[in-house]
Amino acid sequence: MSLFGYLRSTILSKVVMAITGAVLVLYVIVHTAGNMLIFIGKDSLNSYSAFLHSLGPILWIIRAVLILSAILHIITSIKLKFENLAAKPSKYAVKNYLKAKLSSRTMIWTGIMILSFVVYHLLHFTFRTTNPQHYYPEFYQPHNAVSSIIIERFDVYRMVVLGFQNPLISIVYIVGVILVGFHLDHAIQSMFQTLGYNQKHYFPTIQKCSTTLAIIIVLCLVSIPISVLLGFIGGEI
Amino acid sequence: MILDGKVPTGPITEKWDKHRFEMKLVSPANKRKYKIIIVGTGLAGASAAASLAELGYQVEVFTYHDSPRRAHSIAAQGGINAAKNYPNDGDSIWRLFYDTVKGGDFRARESNVYRLAQVSNNIIDQCVAQGVPFAREYSGYLANRSFGGAQLSRTFYARGQTGQQLLLGAYSAMMRQVGLNKIVLHTKTEMLDLIVINGIARGVVTRNLLTGKIESYVADAVVLATGGYSNVFYLSTNAQACNVTATYRAYKRGAFFANPCFTQIHPTCIPQSGEHQSKLTLMSESLRNDGRVWVPKNPGDKRKPTEIPEEDRDYYLERMYPSYGNLAPRDIASRAAKRVCDEGRGVGPTGNGVYLDFSDAIKRLGKKVIEERYGNLFEMYERITGDNPYETPMMIYPAPHYTMGGLWVDYNLMSNIPGLHVIGEANFSDHGANRLGASALMQGLADGYFILPYTIGHYFATTKLEKVTTDHPEVKKCVQEVQERIKKLMSINGKKTPTQFHRELGKIMWNYCGMSRNEEGLKKALELVPKLRDEFWSNLTIVGEEGDLNIVLEKALRVADFLEFAELMLWDALERNESCGGHFREEHQYPDGEAKRDDENFCHVAAWEYTGIGNKPIRHVEPLVFEYVPLTVRSYK
Amino acid sequence: MKLTLHIWRQKNTNAKGHFETYIMDNVIEDMSFLEMLDVLNERLILEGKEPVAFDHDCREGICGACSLTINGIPHGPEKGTTTCQLHMRKFKDGDEIWIEPFRARAFPVIKDLIVDRSAFDRIIQAGGFISVNTGQAPEANSILVPKKNADTAMDAAQCIGCGACVAACPNGAAMLFVAAKVSHFAYLPQGQPERKLRVLKMVEQMQKDGFGNCSNYYECEAACPKQISVKFIALMNRDYLKASFSDEKSELIRNQLA
């Protein structure tokens, strides 16, 4: 069976969606937690960033897993969507949904918008091509250093603050993050269902947790641009 | 003519074993040379199709449904009997046999009934192996419950959907053979005639309900498993499409129709609410295990049931039949309901209803237990009537439900036309004049799984069959007759719909040949039915085309046959000048209103031979001998 | 009651369908939905027009024949109820009702409101059975089934094969139907020997018949007249995953290549 052989099976396709989705969700959780360091201060955030960069090959392995997951997630979802559209060629003149939430019915659209958002996000913060003027090095002396070594590292804090001080960029991020939350609301519990974990005594809890987690992630991530715009963060720059 | 049931000799307990040994076998290599047509995919048809295909025969199956799983066996709620004696309450094959003969009011063939009781246990084994999810005890063993007409618990059940689960078992066994290419399945195909060549049944003429195409199929044997004819009453618990056409057409081709007047009226159905009503809904008889049946003591008591005090209620079944009480057999419970309603004590808007009250059971067992036992039935009742049976008593009234009569068959389940086998409700065999609860499923599966597969082999092994194709002149003639019948119907261009005629026929039959019958009424009906039939053939309207899916034409073809069949039923009811089981002649009753049998003159099967439309058919007789269950007055007091 | 009905009329599979509007006076609330259509059909026949073709039979909610989408909901607004058991007291005077067939690629319209659901039979044919011949069965009580499992098996087995799940699913998926049969046998000891092969074969047939994929909308569960739970889909997913890495799967591939 080739790498994409699973696409021939409806259930295996769903399993791949669930597993790659799980990887991406875990990444979003870690990423969110990391980003929260911004509220502790410039030093924490920049050290965290420097730590990540110091991982070297491990960082590349993580990136590889993430990229692979994202690619499989996207390819599979597109294939599933086309099949689904074909399987329901004529629609009802009147349609009343009984149980399907808006978030579940818009997965492909929120997914496509999230993809564009992520591309922008990478261009903005990772490749730094959209706003190169926000890129500054920081010269930093570790507290516990014996000698007075000065290290040059990337000033993430300054970049984030400068970026979000532009209201347009902040709005893009706020909207993007809300879309992620919307996607996750359906996605997290869906993972459990697809992988076969649904019993009456715990599944309602999973569904609630799914929504709650999505809301927490949105609140955390949205709080950053809002704090910058309101001047709670980055006033010193 | 005195008919011969071909019952094997010897003691009753050994007849079937002996017969199985004596029957000729067809070798496995030869089985695949024989082709069998099966019409109908209910319990009997599906189980026979699966079993015969497993044996190696070529099987071709026909159903007018879009899927074999929709046959009306699916609607049986209560359960299936077997003589397993798991509850250790004294059951045995002998007792099941005895109860069934007695329950049938001594109008069934003893040897058939004994065989039925014998194979009942194999049926349960087979169904469990197929994965039928019967109710279980906590220990994991099978659970049993009691059912109307029995004093012990011998009924196996799967919630209130036993028929569904058994049918799905037989259906899946059949579909497995379809997948193995052992069975050719024709859905949406209705049998419209039987092909008889040189006195032997060799095939069927069908109409494809989607395209209207008339086709013919030939085979070495034909099996009819086409159910009963309760819809002759228009309103019954049967499904809308249930009809008499297959068996009636076989009758017109020479098969004898036995005991057509033996119809069962089920005591626990939801009363009719208006003229628009298309069917009556059955509430499982199991409800009578915990529900108490009553009416107000005084005629015209218009109080709400919950406001009528205990002393003003008449729990008439408990009063009249103390040992069986609310579990009295179906015919007895039905007639008792009719009697109290005729006295003006009936309840509900039409006055044709009695209460079935669960308040005592709820007090005794708690609402939760009742909900567990009957939850789905209570919900169904509430959906249909808008009343909540946990709070106010249900209203019930008897409705036509099952027909014990059917094509006459011998011990081998073959009719008097060689090659024509009839199984399940479509034959007359095992229930006599009244069927006990949870016995229909048993009989359908017994015929299909364990009896026909043996006897049909014997037929092949002992009969020399000429080669026949659909080009045979008799086949062509039969096809042509069907086409002409359809052309004739299409060209009437009158003013009334098939449903209007059906409804009128139903009224005549219910009023004069329903729960109770008398000579005067039957004679009147014998005048009314031919008149209605004449009107049908001169004033019917059909829209649409014959070469298309045409629901009006489908219905018209069925009603046309009901209009002829009804007359046969009336003749049988008139000539059977006694009361027995479901056939209650008002002239023959004991002072307390119980049915009075006439064993001297009517201890026999009446099998009718067709003599032409409107002519009185010829009545043949198969005497019934009761060697093992002595003829007694059937008392449930 | 007076009602306005918009009913889908379609001459045959290849014809283009359209809505036709009918005004119904004097609808009685004790009527079932199908009885109301009976009244309409009687009227149409007497006017010399073709009646509305719709599937129906037992009219007590068990045969699974009836298949109308009423105001965008398969079997209409009442929970856990087939069309035939839906009564007019659920509607009120002046209501407008849209009546459409069950829609999905795998269920082509035959005429008006009748659709072809033979795909379900093909799925059962592919593996929805226990391969036991008549006569092979052991004594019934030699197979013990814990009550809990028997009850759960029954929860799944009560599927009536109506296809409301497919009709309700925005993807036209048949996962609930297939899962119900797979789970019915998965919960019983009798079903174990063929458990893996069954799920592989039934899912494969389901795909061949052109049903869509599951997006976990749970519309199927909500529309199911027997309220069969989507937890059975979860069970089927797990069984399928296990079966995909089993000897049975290798054997199936070998057989297909051969």
Side-chain angles (χ1 to χ4, degrees):
Chain A
M1 201 154 85
S2 67
L3 174 62
F4 291 105
Y6 74 87
L7 284 173
R8 280 197 294 271
S9 158
T10 172
I11 293 178
L12 291 186
S13 298
K14 288 297 295 174
V15 167
V16 168
M17 286 303 285
I19 293 172
T20 53
V23 170
L24 297 170
V25 170
L26 281 178
Y27 171 72
V28 169
I29 292 170
V30 172
H31 188 37
T32 307
N35 287 359
M36 286 300 96
L37 291 171
I38 200 168
F39 289 103
I40 299 176
K42 178 177 178 170
D43 193 36
S44 308
L45 189 68
N46 287 355
S47 309
Y48 167 65
S49 159
F51 163 74
L52 290 179
H53 282 102
S54 70
L55 291 173
I58 300 177
L59 179 67
W60 279 106
I61 291 172
I62 295 173
R63 279 179 173 162
V65 170
L66 283 175
I67 291 167
L68 183 67
S69 295
I71 290 172
L72 290 178
H73 200 77
I74 293 164
I75 289 175
T76 313
S77 71
I78 291 171
K79 171 242 168 191
L80 289 171
K81 187 67 195 177
F82 277 114
E83 283 179 356
N84 292 342
L85 288 172
K88 200 89 173 177
S90 44
K91 304 275 180 227
Y92 293 109
V94 183
K95 177 71 195 161
N96 278 304
Y97 288 100
L98 296 164
K99 214 163 185 173
K101 291 162 96 177
L102 187 62
S103 60
S104 71
R105 299 195 319 256
T106 50
M107 288 301 272
I108 189 76
W109 311 117
T110 52
I112 289 169
M113 288 189 274
I114 289 167
L115 176 63
S116 349
F117 169 63
V118 168
V119 169
Y120 169 72
H121 179 51
L122 291 174
L123 290 175
H124 182 204
F125 283 155
T126 309
F127 301 112
R128 301 182 280 275
T129 47
T130 53
N131 298 80
Q133 74 278 18
H134 295 161
Y135 173 65
Y136 289 90
E138 183 197 25
F139 298 99
Y140 162 79
Q141 182 178 25
H143 299 297
N144 54 350
V146 199
S147 57
S148 54
I149 305 165
I150 304 284
I151 301 169
E152 185 190 333
R153 65 181 183 189
F154 171 42
D155 193 348
V156 180
Y157 185 80
R158 192 182 177 90
M159 179 179 71
V160 170
V161 169
L162 288 176
F164 286 159
Q165 276 173 346
N166 178 343
L168 210 64
I169 293 177
S170 274
I171 287 171
V172 169
Y173 272 88
I174 290 169
V175 170
V177 160
I178 289 174
L179 286 172
V180 170
F182 212 57
H183 202 75
L184 292 188
D185 170 46
H186 177 68
I188 298 171
Q189 56 84 33
S190 195
M191 255 154 39
F192 286 87
Q193 164 74 9
T194 298
L195 295 176
Y197 296 95
N198 176 349
Q199 282 299 335
K200 252 197 204 117
H201 61 280
Y202 62 74
F203 197 64
T205 317
I206 286 182
Q207 286 186 302
K208 274 182 213 131
C209 290
S210 179
T211 308
T212 315
L213 188 58
I215 293 171
I216 291 173
I217 288 172
V218 171
L219 289 179
C220 288
L221 291 176
V222 163
S223 69
I224 300 172
I226 288 180
S227 302
V228 172
L229 282 178
L230 296 177
F232 298 144
I233 294 177
E236 69 272 23
I237 292 168
Chain B
M1 194 200 318
I2 304 284
L3 285 165
D4 177 14
K6 300 210 179 71
V7 176
T9 52
I12 198 161
T13 52
E14 287 158 29
K15 278 182 202 283
W16 178 232
D17 285 343
K18 180 168 160 278
H19 190 58
R20 276 200 292 177
F21 174 71
E22 286 170 355
M23 279 189 289
K24 298 271 182 297
L25 298 172
V26 181
S27 80
N30 283 336
K31 280 198 180 101
R32 61 174 171 269
K33 294 181 188 155
Y34 289 102
K35 189 179 200 180
I36 302 168
I37 282 175
I38 299 179
V39 186
T41 59
L43 283 178
S47 59
S51 306
L52 291 168
E54 285 160 12
L55 286 172
Y57 294 108
Q58 301 172 45
V59 178
E60 210 152 333
V61 177
F62 297 83
T63 170
Y64 56 62
H65 286 104
D66 65 330
S67 163
R69 65 183 293 159
R70 311 218 194 277
H72 198 58
S73 304
I74 201 134
Q77 298 170 352
I80 176 165
N81 285 335
K84 286 278 193 189
N85 192 31
Y86 288 152
N88 198 29
D89 54 0
D91 203 5
S92 61
I93 288 171
W94 193 268
R95 193 182 283 277
L96 176 55
F97 155 64
Y98 185 96
D99 285 355
T100 308
V101 170
K102 184 184 161 206
D105 217 359
F106 303 93
R107 290 296 175 261
R109 212 183 270 147
E110 261 189 343
S111 54
N112 281 51
V113 179
Y114 190 84
R115 176 177 64 184
L116 175 67
Q118 264 177 312
V119 301
S120 68
N121 292 341
N122 304 45
I123 296 169
I124 302 302
D125 297 345
Q126 187 65 30
C127 294
V128 167
Q130 285 172 346
V132 170
F134 282 121
R136 300 270 169 174
E137 307 287 354
Y138 280 100
S139 54
Y141 291 100
L142 287 154
N144 289 106
R145 68 178 168 201
S146 62
F147 217 73
Q151 282 172 314
L152 27 73
S153 298
R154 61 158 75 101
T155 303
F156 294 79
Y157 62 100
R159 291 200 192 138
Q161 288 137 273
T162 317
Q164 180 200 24
Q165 293 309 313
L166 296 175
L167 180 63
L168 292 183
Y171 156 76
S172 58
M174 185 178 98
M175 291 313 284
R176 178 174 151 240
Q177 298 301 319
V178 174
L180 295 169
N181 296 321
K182 300 277 185 60
I183 294 180
V184 179
L185 172 66
H186 303 270
T187 56
K188 286 272 185 190
T189 308
E190 182 160 14
M191 168 181 162
L192 291 183
D193 217 331
L194 179 74
I195 298 168
V196 181
I197 298 174
N198 297 334
I200 297 177
R202 294 306 298 265
V204 292
V205 176
T206 60
R207 180 169 181 271
N208 181 321
L209 300 183
L210 300 180
T211 62
K213 202 166 168 226
I214 305 297
E215 288 160 322
S216 54
Y217 297 87
V218 291
D220 299 296
V222 176
V223 179
L224 296 187
T226 53
Y229 48 85
S230 293
N231 273 348
V232 72
F233 293 106
Y234 183 67
L235 282 181
S236 81
T237 67
N238 278 189
Q240 297 293 295
C242 290
N243 66 77
V244 76
T245 293
T247 46
Y248 189 73
R249 288 283 143 190
Y251 163 75
K252 285 185 88 165
R253 294 278 170 201
F256 294 165
F257 211 111
N259 298 337
C261 77
F262 288 169
T263 53
Q264 181 168 72
I265 312 292
H266 194 287
T268 51
C269 301
I270 299 175
Q272 190 184 353
S273 69
E275 190 68 3
H276 58 265
Q277 191 127 349
S278 60
K279 84 160 266 160
L280 296 169
T281 304
L282 179 127
M283 301 302 293
S284 169
E285 198 166 25
S286 62
L287 290 167
R288 289 201 279 146
N289 282 335
D290 288 305
R292 297 179 71 195
V293 179
W294 64 276
V295 288
K297 260 198 185 131
N298 308 309
D301 193 335
K302 288 284 166 231
R303 286 178 288 181
K304 274 203 268 177
T306 43
E307 284 165 9
I308 298 177
E310 209 55 29
E311 64 271 17
D312 287 343
R313 298 178 177 192
D314 177 15
Y315 294 92
Y316 60 89
L317 283 179
E318 294 170 27
R319 173 172 59 79
M320 295 193 271
Y321 310 101
S323 69
Y324 278 76
N326 295 299
L327 291 175
R330 291 180 173 174
D331 54 336
I332 289 184
S334 295
R335 271 199 301 277
K338 179 175 158 59
R339 210 177 310 152
V340 295
C341 290
D342 288 348
E343 287 164 17
R345 298 194 287 148
V347 297
T350 58
N352 281 330
V354 299
Y355 291 124
L356 179 64
D357 197 336
F358 287 86
S359 53
D360 284 345
I362 291 172
K363 255 181 250 157
R364 190 175 72 244
L365 303 160
K367 193 180 159 188
K368 205 170 161 274
V369 176
I370 295 297
E371 200 179 324
E372 229 166 67
R373 284 187 195 166
Y374 312 111
N376 55 343
L377 296 170
F378 278 30
E379 271 172 40
M380 183 162 103
Y381 182 85
E382 190 172 355
R383 266 201 293 273
I384 293 169
T385 62
D387 284 340
N388 177 356
Y390 293 104
E391 284 158 15
T392 178
M394 280 184 184
M395 269 188 284
I396 54 166
Y397 198 66
H401 169 59
Y402 185 89
T403 54
M404 285 72 69
L407 290 180
W408 182 87
V409 289
D410 61 17
Y411 189 74
N412 294 322
L413 302 181
M414 188 161 82
S415 77
N416 56 308
I417 300 180
L420 178 68
H421 294 75
V422 191
I423 56 177
E425 191 181 350
N427 74 24
F428 87 103
S429 68
D430 299 352
H431 305 296
N434 174 53
R435 179 176 65 77
L436 293 181
S439 283
L441 303 182
M442 174 170 70
Q443 187 225 335
L445 291 179
D447 289 358
Y449 283 134
F450 298 111
I451 300 170
L452 185 71
Y454 295 94
T455 59
I456 207 166
H458 178 65
Y459 168 72
F460 290 137
T462 54
T463 314
K464 192 135 178 59
L465 292 162
E466 59 168 324
K467 203 137 184 66
V468 169
T469 65
T470 47
D471 293 327
H472 195 284
E474 281 297 320
V475 177
K476 296 230 154 127
K477 193 171 145 235
C478 199
V479 169
Q480 203 188 340
E481 280 171 24
V482 169
Q483 280 165 339
E484 278 163 12
R485 177 154 41 115
I486 291 172
K487 287 240 154 47
K488 201 170 156 199
L489 280 171
M490 295 295 297
S491 59
I492 299 172
N493 291 324
K495 292 201 166 57
K496 273 166 82 172
T497 67
T499 305
Q500 284 174 316
F501 284 106
H502 193 186
R503 198 180 278 131
E504 278 176 47
L505 174 69
K507 270 188 196 144
I508 296 172
M509 295 307 282
W510 179 246
N511 288 338
Y512 301 111
C513 198
M515 248 189 294
S516 69
R517 301 142 181 195
N518 59 50
E519 191 182 334
E520 195 194 341
L522 291 166
K523 284 187 169 156
K524 178 142 188 232
L526 274 169
E527 286 168 21
L528 292 174
V529 169
K531 261 191 216 148
L532 185 64
R533 191 170 57 227
D534 291 344
E535 197 199 338
F536 176 88
W537 285 101
S538 60
N539 195 24
L540 175 79
T541 178
I542 296 182
V543 292
E545 294 142 35
E546 58 177 281
D548 186 17
L549 191 158
N550 188 331
I551 55 175
V552 194
L553 176 61
E554 281 169 35
K555 175 95 193 177
L557 283 162
R558 292 166 191 164
V559 174
D561 286 334
F562 272 131
L563 281 164
E564 289 180 28
F565 170 76
E567 207 177 334
L568 169 66
M569 201 171 141
L570 293 166
W571 279 119
D572 189 45
L574 183 66
E575 295 280 303
R576 189 169 280 280
N577 201 4
E578 63 158 351
S579 292
C580 62
H583 172 63
F584 187 75
R585 282 285 296 266
E586 286 160 11
E587 302 93 326
H588 304 282
Q589 51 181 312
Y590 290 101
D592 58 357
E594 294 301 332
K596 193 173 176 185
R597 271 195 343 255
D598 178 356
D599 293 330
E600 198 138 316
N601 297 307
F602 290 99
C603 193
H604 58 235
V605 176
W608 296 84
E609 184 184 351
Y610 179 70
T611 54
I613 298 172
N615 297 345
K616 187 181 170 186
I618 301 169
R619 189 175 192 268
H620 300 288
V621 157
E622 181 200 339
L624 292 170
V625 185
F626 292 90
E627 288 176 78
Y628 299 92
V629 186
L631 282 160
T632 50
V633 175
R634 187 164 151 254
S635 166
Y636 289 90
K637 297 212 167 181
Chain C
M1 284 196 279
K2 187 175 168 176
L3 299 170
T4 307
L5 308 180
H6 304 285
I7 302 178
W8 184 261
R9 302 302 305 261
Q10 184 171 340
K11 186 102 189 70
N12 55 49
T13 308
N14 300 319
K16 218 171 125 49
H18 65 281
F19 281 100
E20 207 138 306
T21 303
Y22 303 94
I23 309 287
M24 292 293 292
D25 294 310
N26 304 323
V27 174
I28 301 162
E29 61 169 24
D30 280 334
M31 279 180 180
S32 73
F33 199 87
L34 297 185
E35 282 165 355
M36 186 226 5
L37 291 182
D38 289 343
V39 172
L40 171 67
N41 275 350
E42 286 290 291
R43 193 179 90 195
L44 290 176
I45 296 170
L46 291 175
E47 288 170 3
K49 294 177 190 154
E50 267 216 63
V52 181
F54 59 91
D55 257 327
H56 64 101
D57 198 25
C58 78
R59 300 220 174 176
E60 46 188 284
I62 194 76
C63 76
C66 56
S67 46
L68 305 182
T69 301
I70 300 165
N71 289 338
I73 301 171
H75 291 306
E78 196 176 2
K79 205 177 165 189
T81 305
T82 53
T83 307
C84 65
Q85 294 268 286
L86 174 68
H87 281 67
M88 296 316 292
R89 65 178 74 87
K90 293 282 156 188
F91 298 89
K92 53 181 197 306
D93 190 41
D95 274 359
E96 248 181 274
I97 305 176
W98 295 79
I99 306 169
E100 297 179 65
F102 278 7
R103 294 193 192 277
R105 176 179 56 181
F107 287 173
V109 173
I110 292 173
K111 185 173 185 174
D112 294 344
L113 302 167
I114 297 181
V115 298
D116 178 357
R117 287 169 286 182
S118 53
F120 273 11
D121 284 332
R122 290 191 289 276
I123 292 172
I124 296 296
Q125 191 180 314
F129 47 76
I130 288 171
S131 299
V132 54
N133 282 359
T134 304
Q136 287 179 327
E139 149 62 36
N141 255 347
S142 64
I143 306 167
L144 297 189
V145 184
K147 183 177 183 333
K148 194 164 61 65
N149 292 8
D151 285 347
T152 313
M154 183 63 203
D155 288 342
Q158 36 177 343
C159 167
I160 59 174
C162 65
C165 45
V166 177
C169 178
N171 304 346
M175 293 286 277
L176 191 62
F177 170 77
V178 182
K181 192 42 69 187
V182 164
S183 305
H184 161 204
F185 291 135
Y187 272 96
L188 296 174
Q190 304 93 299
Q192 299 313 312
E194 295 170 281
R195 184 168 177 173
K196 289 180 180 142
L197 206 56
R198 180 181 304 120
V199 69
L200 291 171
K201 284 185 161 177
M202 289 181 78
V203 170
E204 192 188 343
Q205 185 62 41
M206 171 183 88
Q207 289 189 240
K208 267 192 209 156
D209 274 310
F211 292 99
N213 306 293
C214 182
S215 293
N216 300 338
Y217 294 122
Y218 311 135
E219 280 292 294
C220 50
E221 175 184 87
C224 176
K226 293 289 156 188
Q227 295 182 279
I228 293 172
S229 165
V230 291
K231 75 174 186 185
F232 294 123
I233 297 181
L235 176 73
M236 176 169 78
N237 288 343
R238 202 159 11 132
D239 270 16
Y240 183 86
L241 194 55
K242 275 188 218 155
S244 295
F245 300 99
S246 65
D247 291 349
E248 280 88 344
K249 176 75 188 179
S250 323
E251 201 186 311
L252 266 185
I253 293 172
R254 256 203 315 281
N255 289 345
Q256 275 163 1
L257 292 177

